[in-house]
Amino acid sequence: MSRDRYRPRTFVREVILLLVAAIWWIPFYIIIAISLQDREAINERSLAFPFSNPQWGNFAEAWGGGSSTGLGSGLLSSFIITAGSVIVIVVLSSLAAYAISRHASRLNTTLYFLFIIGIVLPYLLGLIPAFILLRELGLVGTHLGMIILYTGVELPTAVFLYAGFIRALPKEYEEAALVDGASPFRTFWLIVFPLLGPVTATVSVITALFVWNDFFAQLVFLTGTSNQTLPVAIYGFVGEFATQWNYVFAGIVISVAPVLIFFIFTQRQLVKGFAGGIKS
């Protein structure tokens, strides 16, 4: 019972953790403080008293402004590209990893090492060839073109994670399904894929965060189009001679909000997914 007592040492630990948490929240405080200021009033004093005269209209201006489209359109484009990339990557990488892990051959081994090389090489090396290819296909500036691009970028990492997880799964259920007459494709979707929940959560989170936050590729492929994403739309407030920092930070708040809301409602599932992937 003595171990369960609330001791002074426990109180000190809690205070230290609260201080660390407060320090971690400083960047968020600065972002919100600047987003609520007038363009001319952004200074040290305004950061100290951000709610003395909050300009909530900054969010409305940021939502409707931007470079060529507003943040509302950018939010929709970011959601379409992110969701589409996650779905395509999960489907293709899980199938590829299953074939590589369950059917040993020289070809599958070679493909696996090619995927490993794809993880090591930075995707920026292939950005120019990818741009030329998508331009020839008429997909530059489109949602489909960005989904294809991000699928190629994130597929190696997803295959690597799925392959390691599938190798740790027992084969008895698959063998029983095949004996009962199920095809390999049906066996995968009905037996194997439901068991891949933890690694699927991991792949989905990694892919979604990368695609949602990526800026350079979206700047190259989507600038000047009606399909530009949130990062590109926010960049529209940065000018050569003047920068609307209050609108920039208001846009950042709008961009971060969906990620925070997603994490708040799914944190238990995400922790289980990461823990399950590590345990396997």
Side-chain angles (χ1 to χ4, degrees), residues 98-123:
Y98 180 69
I100 291 174
S101 302
R102 287 296 192 249
H103 303 283
S105 66
R106 183 175 300 178
L107 176 61
N108 286 342
T109 302
T110 303
L111 289 175
Y112 182 72
F113 281 107
L114 288 177
F115 282 121
I116 299 298
I117 295 174
I119 298 176
V120 177
L121 295 177
Y123 83 97

mmCIF file of all heavy atoms in Angstrom, residues 98-123:
data_model
loop_
_atom_site.group_PDB
_atom_site.id
_atom_site.type_symbol
_atom_site.label_atom_id
_atom_site.label_comp_id
_atom_site.label_asym_id
_atom_site.label_seq_id
_atom_site.Cartn_x
_atom_site.Cartn_y
_atom_site.Cartn_z
ATOM 1 N N TYR A 98 1.841 -8.916 -49.325
ATOM 2 C CA TYR A 98 1.343 -10.283 -49.135
ATOM 3 C C TYR A 98 1.958 -11.228 -50.167
ATOM 4 O O TYR A 98 2.395 -12.339 -49.825
ATOM 5 C CB TYR A 98 -0.173 -10.296 -49.245
ATOM 6 C CG TYR A 98 -0.789 -11.665 -49.070
ATOM 7 C CD1 TYR A 98 -0.780 -12.302 -47.830
ATOM 8 C CD2 TYR A 98 -1.392 -12.315 -50.143
ATOM 9 C CE1 TYR A 98 -1.339 -13.554 -47.663
ATOM 10 C CE2 TYR A 98 -1.958 -13.569 -49.978
ATOM 11 C CZ TYR A 98 -1.927 -14.187 -48.750
ATOM 12 O OH TYR A 98 -2.481 -15.429 -48.589
ATOM 13 N N ALA A 99 2.019 -10.767 -51.412
ATOM 14 C CA ALA A 99 2.623 -11.602 -52.453
ATOM 15 C C ALA A 99 4.114 -11.825 -52.196
ATOM 16 O O ALA A 99 4.634 -12.922 -52.359
ATOM 17 C CB ALA A 99 2.420 -10.952 -53.823
ATOM 18 N N ILE A 100 4.801 -10.776 -51.761
ATOM 19 C CA ILE A 100 6.235 -10.891 -51.499
ATOM 20 C C ILE A 100 6.511 -11.784 -50.297
ATOM 21 O O ILE A 100 7.451 -12.590 -50.297
ATOM 22 C CB ILE A 100 6.846 -9.488 -51.275
ATOM 23 C CG1 ILE A 100 6.833 -8.695 -52.589
ATOM 24 C CG2 ILE A 100 8.255 -9.582 -50.722
ATOM 25 C CD1 ILE A 100 7.272 -7.259 -52.444
ATOM 26 N N SER A 101 5.683 -11.686 -49.266
ATOM 27 C CA SER A 101 5.943 -12.410 -48.019
ATOM 28 C C SER A 101 5.521 -13.868 -48.078
ATOM 29 O O SER A 101 6.148 -14.721 -47.444
ATOM 30 C CB SER A 101 5.205 -11.720 -46.863
ATOM 31 O OG SER A 101 5.604 -10.373 -46.740
ATOM 32 N N ARG A 102 4.473 -14.160 -48.818
ATOM 33 C CA ARG A 102 3.940 -15.517 -48.815
ATOM 34 C C ARG A 102 4.412 -16.375 -49.995
ATOM 35 O O ARG A 102 4.249 -17.590 -49.971
ATOM 36 C CB ARG A 102 2.411 -15.460 -48.817
ATOM 37 C CG ARG A 102 1.801 -15.026 -47.493
ATOM 38 C CD ARG A 102 2.128 -16.035 -46.419
ATOM 39 N NE ARG A 102 1.348 -15.817 -45.204
ATOM 40 C CZ ARG A 102 1.849 -15.393 -44.066
ATOM 41 N NH1 ARG A 102 3.158 -15.116 -43.994
ATOM 42 N NH2 ARG A 102 1.097 -15.229 -42.998
ATOM 43 N N HIS A 103 4.993 -15.767 -51.001
ATOM 44 C CA HIS A 103 5.441 -16.525 -52.175
ATOM 45 C C HIS A 103 6.917 -16.210 -52.411
ATOM 46 O O HIS A 103 7.266 -15.254 -53.093
ATOM 47 C CB HIS A 103 4.608 -16.166 -53.405
ATOM 48 C CG HIS A 103 3.133 -16.386 -53.214
ATOM 49 N ND1 HIS A 103 2.552 -17.634 -53.255
ATOM 50 C CD2 HIS A 103 2.125 -15.511 -52.953
ATOM 51 C CE1 HIS A 103 1.240 -17.523 -53.034
ATOM 52 N NE2 HIS A 103 0.961 -16.245 -52.852
ATOM 53 N N ALA A 104 7.759 -17.049 -51.838
ATOM 54 C CA ALA A 104 9.200 -16.825 -51.947
ATOM 55 C C ALA A 104 9.696 -17.176 -53.350
ATOM 56 O O ALA A 104 9.449 -18.269 -53.861
ATOM 57 C CB ALA A 104 9.931 -17.667 -50.905
ATOM 58 N N SER A 105 10.347 -16.225 -53.979
ATOM 59 C CA SER A 105 10.950 -16.433 -55.291
ATOM 60 C C SER A 105 12.022 -15.376 -55.495
ATOM 61 O O SER A 105 12.095 -14.390 -54.763
ATOM 62 C CB SER A 105 9.901 -16.341 -56.407
ATOM 63 O OG SER A 105 9.377 -15.025 -56.494
ATOM 64 N N ARG A 106 12.848 -15.603 -56.482
ATOM 65 C CA ARG A 106 13.912 -14.641 -56.761
ATOM 66 C C ARG A 106 13.328 -13.293 -57.198
ATOM 67 O O ARG A 106 13.840 -12.234 -56.837
ATOM 68 C CB ARG A 106 14.835 -15.201 -57.844
ATOM 69 C CG ARG A 106 16.026 -14.307 -58.170
ATOM 70 C CD ARG A 106 16.960 -14.978 -59.152
ATOM 71 N NE ARG A 106 17.478 -16.233 -58.614
ATOM 72 C CZ ARG A 106 18.297 -17.034 -59.292
ATOM 73 N NH1 ARG A 106 18.678 -16.708 -60.535
ATOM 74 N NH2 ARG A 106 18.734 -18.158 -58.742
ATOM 75 N N LEU A 107 12.235 -13.339 -57.967
ATOM 76 C CA LEU A 107 11.606 -12.106 -58.420
ATOM 77 C C LEU A 107 11.058 -11.311 -57.245
ATOM 78 O O LEU A 107 11.268 -10.090 -57.155
ATOM 79 C CB LEU A 107 10.486 -12.423 -59.409
ATOM 80 C CG LEU A 107 9.656 -11.213 -59.893
ATOM 81 C CD1 LEU A 107 10.548 -10.209 -60.621
ATOM 82 C CD2 LEU A 107 8.519 -11.686 -60.800
ATOM 83 N N ASN A 108 10.370 -11.971 -56.328
ATOM 84 C CA ASN A 108 9.805 -11.270 -55.175
ATOM 85 C C ASN A 108 10.896 -10.703 -54.265
ATOM 86 O O ASN A 108 10.752 -9.609 -53.717
ATOM 87 C CB ASN A 108 8.906 -12.218 -54.377
ATOM 88 C CG ASN A 108 7.582 -12.479 -55.077
ATOM 89 O OD1 ASN A 108 7.180 -11.729 -55.964
ATOM 90 N ND2 ASN A 108 6.906 -13.544 -54.695
ATOM 91 N N THR A 109 11.982 -11.455 -54.115
ATOM 92 C CA THR A 109 13.097 -10.944 -53.317
ATOM 93 C C THR A 109 13.699 -9.701 -53.949
ATOM 94 O O THR A 109 14.019 -8.712 -53.268
ATOM 95 C CB THR A 109 14.180 -12.025 -53.160
ATOM 96 O OG1 THR A 109 13.598 -13.186 -52.547
ATOM 97 C CG2 THR A 109 15.324 -11.524 -52.293
ATOM 98 N N THR A 110 13.847 -9.725 -55.277
ATOM 99 C CA THR A 110 14.379 -8.559 -55.989
ATOM 100 C C THR A 110 13.454 -7.358 -55.839
ATOM 101 O O THR A 110 13.910 -6.231 -55.595
ATOM 102 C CB THR A 110 14.575 -8.888 -57.474
ATOM 103 O OG1 THR A 110 15.450 -10.021 -57.605
ATOM 104 C CG2 THR A 110 15.177 -7.697 -58.214
ATOM 105 N N LEU A 111 12.147 -7.606 -55.977
ATOM 106 C CA LEU A 111 11.186 -6.510 -55.825
ATOM 107 C C LEU A 111 11.238 -5.922 -54.422
ATOM 108 O O LEU A 111 11.152 -4.706 -54.240
ATOM 109 C CB LEU A 111 9.772 -7.016 -56.128
ATOM 110 C CG LEU A 111 9.463 -7.344 -57.585
ATOM 111 C CD1 LEU A 111 8.073 -7.941 -57.714
ATOM 112 C CD2 LEU A 111 9.577 -6.097 -58.451
ATOM 113 N N TYR A 112 11.404 -6.787 -53.425
ATOM 114 C CA TYR A 112 11.462 -6.305 -52.047
ATOM 115 C C TYR A 112 12.666 -5.389 -51.839
ATOM 116 O O TYR A 112 12.554 -4.321 -51.220
ATOM 117 C CB TYR A 112 11.533 -7.499 -51.093
ATOM 118 C CG TYR A 112 11.557 -7.107 -49.638
ATOM 119 C CD1 TYR A 112 10.418 -6.614 -49.008
ATOM 120 C CD2 TYR A 112 12.733 -7.228 -48.893
ATOM 121 C CE1 TYR A 112 10.441 -6.254 -47.672
ATOM 122 C CE2 TYR A 112 12.761 -6.868 -47.556
ATOM 123 C CZ TYR A 112 11.617 -6.386 -46.947
ATOM 124 O OH TYR A 112 11.641 -6.023 -45.634
ATOM 125 N N PHE A 113 13.817 -5.765 -52.366
ATOM 126 C CA PHE A 113 15.001 -4.931 -52.221
ATOM 127 C C PHE A 113 14.875 -3.641 -53.031
ATOM 128 O O PHE A 113 15.423 -2.601 -52.647
ATOM 129 C CB PHE A 113 16.250 -5.701 -52.628
ATOM 130 C CG PHE A 113 16.738 -6.649 -51.572
ATOM 131 C CD1 PHE A 113 16.571 -8.019 -51.714
ATOM 132 C CD2 PHE A 113 17.346 -6.172 -50.419
ATOM 133 C CE1 PHE A 113 17.007 -8.891 -50.729
ATOM 134 C CE2 PHE A 113 17.785 -7.037 -49.428
ATOM 135 C CZ PHE A 113 17.620 -8.406 -49.583
ATOM 136 N N LEU A 114 14.147 -3.674 -54.125
ATOM 137 C CA LEU A 114 13.892 -2.437 -54.865
ATOM 138 C C LEU A 114 13.031 -1.484 -54.043
ATOM 139 O O LEU A 114 13.248 -0.260 -54.062
ATOM 140 C CB LEU A 114 13.212 -2.760 -56.200
ATOM 141 C CG LEU A 114 14.095 -3.413 -57.269
ATOM 142 C CD1 LEU A 114 13.268 -3.741 -58.511
ATOM 143 C CD2 LEU A 114 15.256 -2.497 -57.647
ATOM 144 N N PHE A 115 12.069 -2.030 -53.326
ATOM 145 C CA PHE A 115 11.261 -1.189 -52.436
ATOM 146 C C PHE A 115 12.130 -0.598 -51.324
ATOM 147 O O PHE A 115 11.947 0.561 -50.932
ATOM 148 C CB PHE A 115 10.114 -1.997 -51.836
ATOM 149 C CG PHE A 115 8.956 -2.201 -52.770
ATOM 150 C CD1 PHE A 115 8.534 -3.470 -53.128
ATOM 151 C CD2 PHE A 115 8.272 -1.112 -53.294
ATOM 152 C CE1 PHE A 115 7.467 -3.653 -53.987
ATOM 153 C CE2 PHE A 115 7.192 -1.283 -54.152
ATOM 154 C CZ PHE A 115 6.804 -2.559 -54.506
ATOM 155 N N ILE A 116 13.065 -1.389 -50.803
ATOM 156 C CA ILE A 116 13.971 -0.888 -49.767
ATOM 157 C C ILE A 116 14.801 0.274 -50.307
ATOM 158 O O ILE A 116 14.997 1.298 -49.639
ATOM 159 C CB ILE A 116 14.887 -2.006 -49.252
ATOM 160 C CG1 ILE A 116 14.068 -3.128 -48.631
ATOM 161 C CG2 ILE A 116 15.888 -1.443 -48.246
ATOM 162 C CD1 ILE A 116 13.266 -2.705 -47.439
ATOM 163 N N ILE A 117 15.288 0.144 -51.541
ATOM 164 C CA ILE A 117 16.054 1.228 -52.161
ATOM 165 C C ILE A 117 15.179 2.472 -52.308
ATOM 166 O O ILE A 117 15.640 3.605 -52.135
ATOM 167 C CB ILE A 117 16.602 0.781 -53.524
ATOM 168 C CG1 ILE A 117 17.618 -0.340 -53.326
ATOM 169 C CG2 ILE A 117 17.239 1.949 -54.277
ATOM 170 C CD1 ILE A 117 18.122 -0.950 -54.623
ATOM 171 N N GLY A 118 13.900 2.268 -52.615
ATOM 172 C CA GLY A 118 12.976 3.388 -52.737
ATOM 173 C C GLY A 118 12.791 4.151 -51.435
ATOM 174 O O GLY A 118 12.487 5.346 -51.456
ATOM 175 N N ILE A 119 12.974 3.470 -50.290
ATOM 176 C CA ILE A 119 12.881 4.155 -49.004
ATOM 177 C C ILE A 119 14.095 5.048 -48.791
ATOM 178 O O ILE A 119 13.996 6.158 -48.277
ATOM 179 C CB ILE A 119 12.771 3.131 -47.858
ATOM 180 C CG1 ILE A 119 11.490 2.301 -48.015
ATOM 181 C CG2 ILE A 119 12.795 3.818 -46.497
ATOM 182 C CD1 ILE A 119 11.360 1.198 -46.987
ATOM 183 N N VAL A 120 15.262 4.560 -49.217
ATOM 184 C CA VAL A 120 16.511 5.282 -48.957
ATOM 185 C C VAL A 120 16.636 6.516 -49.839
ATOM 186 O O VAL A 120 17.051 7.592 -49.385
ATOM 187 C CB VAL A 120 17.713 4.344 -49.172
ATOM 188 C CG1 VAL A 120 19.021 5.098 -48.977
ATOM 189 C CG2 VAL A 120 17.634 3.150 -48.231
ATOM 190 N N LEU A 121 16.266 6.397 -51.110
ATOM 191 C CA LEU A 121 16.437 7.510 -52.045
ATOM 192 C C LEU A 121 15.413 8.612 -51.771
ATOM 193 O O LEU A 121 14.226 8.328 -51.604
ATOM 194 C CB LEU A 121 16.278 7.022 -53.483
ATOM 195 C CG LEU A 121 17.339 6.027 -53.987
ATOM 196 C CD1 LEU A 121 17.002 5.576 -55.402
ATOM 197 C CD2 LEU A 121 18.729 6.656 -53.935
ATOM 198 N N PRO A 122 15.824 9.874 -51.722
ATOM 199 C CA PRO A 122 14.871 10.983 -51.551
ATOM 200 C C PRO A 122 13.999 11.147 -52.783
ATOM 201 O O PRO A 122 14.484 11.065 -53.916
ATOM 202 C CB PRO A 122 15.782 12.201 -51.324
ATOM 203 C CG PRO A 122 17.078 11.832 -51.945
ATOM 204 C CD PRO A 122 17.223 10.349 -51.791
ATOM 205 N N TYR A 123 12.720 11.378 -52.544
ATOM 206 C CA TYR A 123 11.786 11.445 -53.663
ATOM 207 C C TYR A 123 12.020 12.669 -54.547
ATOM 208 O O TYR A 123 11.587 12.701 -55.706
ATOM 209 C CB TYR A 123 10.342 11.422 -53.152
ATOM 210 C CG TYR A 123 9.797 12.750 -52.705
ATOM 211 C CD1 TYR A 123 9.027 13.524 -53.556
ATOM 212 C CD2 TYR A 123 10.024 13.228 -51.420
ATOM 213 C CE1 TYR A 123 8.505 14.739 -53.148
ATOM 214 C CE2 TYR A 123 9.511 14.435 -51.004
ATOM 215 C CZ TYR A 123 8.753 15.185 -51.867
ATOM 216 O OH TYR A 123 8.243 16.398 -51.463
#
